[in-house]
Amino acid sequence: MDSFLIEGGVPLKGEVLISGSKNAVLPIMAATLLTAETCVIRKVPDLSDVGFMAKILRSLGAEVSLEGGTLTVKAEKLSGFGDYELIRKMRGSICILGPLLARLKEARVSLPGGCVIGTRPIDLHLKGLQALGAAVEVDSGYVRVHAPKLDGQMVFLGGRVGPTVLGTANILMAATLAEGVTVIESAACEPEIIDLADFLNAMGAKIHGAGSPTITVTGVKELHGAEHEVIPDRIEAGTFAAAAVATGGEVILRGARPDHLGAVLDKLREVGGVVTRNAGSLTVRGGGVLRPVDITTMPYSGFPTDMQAQLMAVACLAPGTSIITERIFESRFMHASELMRLGAEIAIEGPSAIVKGGRPLSGAPVMASDLRASAALVIAGLAAGGKTQVNRVYHLDRGYERMELKLQALGARISRVPGE
Ligand code: EPZ
């Protein structure tokens, strides 16, 4: 397993190109199952999660090619049952459920296991599909959904902590081919849902209100092939912005969408960063005195849970007490104990992490545990004095395209150490 070896203390300087969004492209790849015609998706990031989803589509019988960021999919002959075991290995692939149900009128997938950040239930996904007329059976670790036909319905998808992103994606995709009108209430408002809806509408779907809590879908008989360019990855952009502030550098985020980053940029300013909007890019500068910050993660357009770990790393550098409260997932503080190995002072009190920042961090070997926790460890290592080795960076490769190369281009002393 590969590691990153980082020698901290270098302010990041220069320009980084933001890749296509992982959390937009995964549901969009699932959506290509809704038509037998060819779909072409551009600005697809080179990530292991994308490779994995391509494997799943191929296991279902689709022809899939991925060259230089362009993905071509032709799901003409869908086989009944693909290698559904793969679902358990990557939760994001649960969003094949809706398209397969809509296209084949049945689907059987392994239940996505939990992961380090939480139990990751799919009750809202199943509630939505049942509302459209699907029968749901769960047995021996698999969930099977089937329906002779799908009927448009009013579906309330709000859960105990708010909307579900992939749940909204699943119901949205199934509803495109249902008979009649579906109204999804308490839908997720993330930009990735808007991007999926744009792709589905390009395929001939009739979707209105994506990005708002109420989405209306008028079912159509069938969908045709389409071309689409994926939106930039707001979490990758936020991660590099946090690294710029943490190292006291100045980074131009080429292609970043400031309209997707409102809450993140607000908190980066509050902690002491300087953010400038330019045409087609954002410049984020550190270098000043950092100030403590209070953050609570919320559904979009609130502060994103996927940026919580990265801002915790920055808060460790800000003299004073920061309080970071995680409201979306039940255990998303795995990075805290590893940050403490670098000298951070963090106390976990229920859903909140109390960070006593300001003491300089010093490099040490640390263990990545999940995608965004790993990003936090890289940020802290870039700011710490001395050497930091981040182990198990395969977590990072799931969601960041060639992160070490992008950081090297910004002047960071970071290298990938191949593991056994
Ligand atoms: C998406 O996951 C993202 N993944 C996650 O990003 C992100 O953290 C999450 O949305 C929240 O923004 C992808 O898009 C591939 P949810 P998703 O359903 O859709 C509860 C990353 O680092 N819930 O919105 O699986 C759930 O337990 C990843 O890129 C139910 O209770 O998340 C959680 O507490 C990590 N029942 C909350 O809702 C359900 O049926 C939000 O989960 C579904 C979810």
Side-chain angles (χ1 to χ4, degrees), residues 57-388:
L57 298 184
R58 289 192 189 100
S59 80
L60 292 165
E63 292 163 38
V64 182
S65 71
L66 183 52
E67 306 271 326
T70 297
L71 178 86
T72 306
V73 183
K74 187 172 172 53
E76 191 174 9
K77 293 181 290 303
L78 275 189
S79 64
F81 297 99
D83 178 349
Y84 289 115
E85 256 312 294
L86 295 174
I87 298 262
R88 202 167 36 175
K89 300 188 184 91
M90 183 182 79
R91 172 185 168 80
S93 44
I94 190 68
C95 57
I96 67 170
L97 211 51
L100 286 177
L101 177 66
R103 182 87 186 280
L104 302 177
K105 301 294 179 276
E106 75 166 317
R108 178 177 170 273
V109 300
S110 61
L111 284 167
C115 60
V116 287
I117 64 176
T119 51
R120 313 297 294 273
I122 59 166
D123 56 305
L124 298 171
H125 297 240
L126 302 180
K127 172 186 174 184
L129 296 177
Q130 276 172 311
L132 298 181
V136 173
E137 287 146 29
V138 178
D139 66 70
S140 53
Y142 278 84
V143 60
R144 179 170 171 262
V145 291
H146 55 100
K149 75 180 181 73
L150 296 175
D151 293 310
Q153 284 294 337
M154 175 83 79
V155 191
F156 182 81
L157 272 190
R160 54 191 173 70
V161 292
T164 161
V165 176
L166 290 180
T168 301
N170 254 330
I171 306 320
L172 186 57
M173 290 187 278
T176 57
L177 295 180
E179 274 185 33
V181 177
T182 297
V183 178
I184 304 174
E185 290 189 317
S186 192
C189 302
E190 271 70 2
E192 293 78 27
I193 293 293
I194 299 175
D195 208 31
L196 173 62
D198 288 347
F199 175 54
L200 290 167
N201 282 339
M203 294 169 79
K206 291 188 173 20
I207 301 168
H208 298 283
S212 83
T214 305
I215 304 177
T216 305
V217 188
T218 306
V220 294
K221 272 258 164 295
E222 62 180 13
L223 296 179
H224 52 72
E227 306 209 356
H228 182 77
E229 181 176 293
V230 176
I231 55 170
D233 193 313
R234 61 190 169 98
I235 305 301
E236 184 195 30
T239 302
F240 277 95
V245 174
T247 58
E250 179 165 345
V251 174
I252 299 170
L253 306 166
R254 176 69 51 205
R257 289 270 303 261
D259 55 322
H260 293 168
L261 284 160
V264 174
L265 299 180
D266 177 56
K267 285 302 172 188
L268 285 173
R269 286 191 183 98
E270 201 178 311
V271 80
V274 176
V275 179
T276 329
R277 291 183 178 205
N278 334 298
S281 71
L282 267 176
T283 301
V284 179
R285 182 158 46 86
V289 176
L290 296 184
R291 300 184 290 270
V293 68
D294 291 344
I295 291 173
T296 299
T297 64
M298 282 178 271
Y300 193 86
S301 58
F303 189 88
T305 174
D306 292 350
M307 278 299 303
Q308 178 257 107
Q310 298 92 312
L311 261 287
M312 188 184 292
V314 178
C316 293
L317 304 163
T321 300
S322 296
I323 300 176
I324 297 176
T325 302
E326 174 57 59
R327 289 274 182 235
I328 305 296
F329 289 108
E330 58 265 37
S331 59
R332 200 170 194 174
F333 287 140
M334 299 289 281
H335 39 287
S337 51
E338 293 304 299
L339 288 170
M340 285 190 253
R341 288 173 55 77
L342 301 176
E345 275 189 77
I346 305 170
I348 305 297
E349 300 281 337
S352 298
I354 320 290
V355 181
K356 286 198 173 18
R359 210 167 63 176
L361 300 181
S362 50
V366 288
M367 187 74 76
S369 57
D370 80 272
L371 171 55
R372 308 305 178 183
S374 322
L377 298 177
V378 172
I379 291 171
L382 290 168
K387 286 192 170 59
T388 295

